[in-house]
Amino acid sequence: MSVSQERLLSVRDLTVTYESGRAMQWRRSPVKAIDGVSFDVRPGETLGLVGESGSGKSTIGRSILRLADVSGGTIDFDGLDVTALGRRTPLSYRRAVQAVFQDPASSLNPRHVVSTAVTTPLRRHGVGDAAAREEAAAAAFERVGLSRAHLSRLPSELSGGQRQRVAIARALALEPRLIVCDEAVSALDVSTQSQIINLLADLQESTGMSYLFVTHDLRIVRHISHRVAVMHAGRLVELAPVEQLFDSPRHPYTRSLLAASPATHPTGRERRRSHRANYRPNHHGPEIVRGEEGCPFRNRCASVMEVCRTKTPPLRELADGGRVACHLYGEEGRTVEGGPHRGKGRGKGGGRGSTGEG
Ligand SMILES: Nc1ncnc2c1ncn2[C@@H]1O[C@H](COP(=O)(O)OP(=O)(O)OP(=O)(O)O)[C@@H](O)[C@H]1O
Ligand code: SF4
Ligand SMILES: [Mg+2]
C-alpha cells in the first residue's frame, strides 16, 4: 500500500491547556500540555509520535478523539473542522476515527463475553440487526487472527495479546479511516508485540487506513512508521520520514533521544558516548524551561547558542521536506553558523537536508 501525499487529518496550531495540574501534583496551576502543534496524517500512512513522558503525545491523541478540550487551533478531518463542533462531533466522525489503547482489559467489560466489544459499538452506530452484528464480529475476529470460539470467552480467559486483538477487531469492524494507537503494544512481551505490529501493518495494507502511532518505544516506531513526529515539552520539534529521522536526526533533542536508545545504538558503550555528545549534564537550571521565551531544551542542549535563550525556535520546513524547530537551522532551512555539522556530535546527522549541502 503506497502512502498518498493528500491529507486525511490536518492539525494546525493545536493548543491544549489543562486548567489545573493533576491532583497529585503539588503545584496546581494551568498546564499548557500542547503548545501550537501542526502536522498532517496522510491516507494509508502511519505517523509515529514519540517523545519523553509528559511531552504531550497522549493529549494530541485525546484531542483528535475529542476526549480532551482544545484551547486553540484546528483539527481538520477530510474537510470537516472538528474543533468548531465542540463536543457535538457527528457520529460519522466518531466512527471514522477509532482508538486502541495500552490496556484493553480496562475497556473490556469483565462480565461480558468479548464479542460484545464488537457488537455494542456496531449497535450504537446503527449497523445491521443483531444477527448481522454477530456475523460482523466473527468476521472481524477472523481478520485479527482470533477464531469463532474466542467470541464467547470472557476477557479474563484471553491472553494480553488476544485482548489487544479484540480491541483491534472492535475498531476494525467500524471500518475506520484513522486509528489512534496509544502505547497499543507497550504492555505486551516482545514476541507478541511484533505479532500485533505485523497484524496492524497487514490491516493497513488491505484497508488503506491510517495510524497515529503514539509510543515512547523507538524500536517499535522505527518498525511501523512511514514518518515520525518528535514531541518535547508540548511542542513538535522534528518531523521527518522514518529513515531520515533515524539516519540523520537534526534536532538536538531527537539526537539525544536516539542516542539513548538501543534502536539506534545496540551496544551500551556506543550509546553512552553518543549520549554524552548530545546531552549536557544538568548544571544549568531545570531540564525543561516551560512558559518562557526561548528554546525549552536550552538547559540540556549541547549546541545551545545565545539566541536560544531569548527566541523560541519555530518549526521550519527544510529543503528536503523535513521539519525542525531549532535555531541551528536558520530562516530558509539553511544551517546557520555553529550548526551541527560543524560541531563534534554525530557527524552524520546535522544539516544534511540544508540547502547549502548536496
Ligand atoms: N487530565 C489531566 N489533567 C491535568 N494535566 C494533565 C492531564 N493529562 C495530562 N496532563 C499533563 O499534560 C502533560 C502531557 O501529558 P500526556 O499524558 O499527554 O503526556 P505523554 O507524552 O502521553 O506522556 P506518557 O509517555 O507518560 O504517556 C503532562 O504535563 C501531564 O502531567
Ligand atoms: S534552539 Fe538552541 S537550545 Fe534549542 S535545540 Fe536548537 S540549538 Fe539547542
Ligand atoms: Mg501517554
Side-chain angles (χ1 to χ4, degrees):
M1 172 83 207
S2 60
V3 174
S4 121
Q5 295 300 305
E6 292 160 30
R7 300 165 187 163
L8 175 64
L9 180 83
S10 290
V11 174
R12 291 292 174 270
D13 283 324
L14 183 69
T15 301
V16 177
T17 306
Y18 290 114
E19 275 319 312
S20 62
R22 281 184 171 141
M24 294 302 286
Q25 287 171 345
W26 60 273
R27 199 169 56 108
R28 299 196 56 172
S29 50
V31 178
K32 212 176 201 182
I34 301 296
D35 189 1
V37 165
S38 302
F39 63 89
D40 295 327
V41 180
R42 301 166 181 163
E45 172 183 57
T46 299
L47 180 70
L49 193 55
V50 299
E52 66 203 0
S53 184
S55 58
K57 306 180 296 295
S58 296
T59 302
I60 290 181
R62 290 169 56 79
S63 309
I64 294 165
L65 293 163
R66 314 301 292 130
L67 299 170
D69 286 325
V70 167
S71 3
T74 56
I75 298 173
D76 185 289
F77 183 82
D78 202 19
L80 175 76
D81 180 1
V82 181
T83 30
L85 301 168
R87 293 259 162 168
R88 292 172 293 112
T89 12
L91 209 57
S92 61
Y93 179 77
R94 280 185 272 144
R95 182 166 173 178
V97 181
Q98 291 297 311
V100 176
F101 292 113
Q102 176 165 2
D103 180 17
S106 64
S107 57
L108 298 175
N109 189 323
R111 291 185 307 271
H112 289 179
V113 296
V114 289
S115 63
T116 59
V118 180
T119 54
T120 306
L122 287 175
R123 179 164 49 79
R124 234 177 260 141
H125 285 276
V127 178
D129 57 13
R133 291 193 288 267
E134 285 298 334
E135 217 25 66
F141 268 42
E142 195 183 322
R143 289 177 75 193
V144 301
L146 296 170
S147 69
R148 275 182 186 267
H150 288 115
L151 289 164
S152 54
R153 304 267 171 85
L154 291 170
S156 59
E157 295 170 320
L158 300 180
S159 68
Q162 287 169 333
R163 283 199 291 262
Q164 205 55 295
R165 285 175 195 268
V166 173
I168 296 168
R170 168 173 48 197
L172 194 63
L174 291 163
E175 297 170 355
R177 298 175 63 197
L178 172 70
I179 303 186
V180 175
C181 302
D182 191 341
E183 306 286 359
V185 299
S186 303
L188 306 172
D189 64 69
V190 174
S191 85
T192 314
Q193 274 183 349
S194 38
Q195 288 166 18
I196 300 289
I197 292 289
N198 290 339
L199 170 67
L200 288 170
D202 290 347
L203 292 171
Q204 183 171 62
E205 188 76 31
S206 59
T207 60
M209 65 186 162
S210 309
Y211 299 131
L212 178 67
F213 202 91
V214 173
T215 179
H216 64 272
D217 191 326
L218 293 170
R219 258 179 333 107
I220 294 171
V221 99
R222 185 174 201 171
H223 194 73
I224 196 166
S225 310
H226 296 101
R227 294 186 303 148
V228 181
V230 182
M231 293 288 298
H232 175 259
R235 300 176 66 238
L236 205 162
V237 297
E238 184 159 3
L239 197 159
V242 65
E243 320 80 47
Q244 187 179 312
L245 191 104
F246 279 89
D247 293 347
S248 47
R250 276 147 168 172
H251 198 283
Y253 173 69
T254 311
R255 291 161 169 242
S256 76
L257 201 65
L258 298 193
S261 164
T264 37
H265 298 280
T267 73
R269 209 165 129 215
E270 256 188 274
R271 239 187 348 262
R272 281 191 296 277
R273 192 172 344 108
S274 180
H275 195 61
R276 273 200 302 275
N278 290 286
Y279 203 54
R280 291 192 302 168
N282 188 16
H283 299 315
H284 306 272
E287 287 255 324
I288 296 172
V289 190
R290 278 184 184 262
E292 291 173 24
E293 276 301 301
C295 175
F297 189 56
R298 62 185 184 259
N299 285 348
R300 279 298 192 149
C301 180
S303 313
V304 64
M305 302 172 287
E306 208 40 50
V307 62
C308 308
R309 304 192 189 284
T310 52
K311 252 181 96 179
T312 309
L315 189 73
R316 290 195 181 95
E317 183 156 350
L318 306 186
D320 62 4
R323 282 155 200 244
V324 62
C326 170
H327 290 306
L328 292 171
Y329 305 86
E331 290 296 317
E332 275 98 43
R334 196 174 280 275
T335 304
V336 297
E337 274 222 80
H341 61 254
R342 301 177 125 232
K344 291 171 274 176
R346 291 183 61 194
K348 202 178 165 193
R352 227 188 66 178
S354 64
T355 48
E357 288 184 86

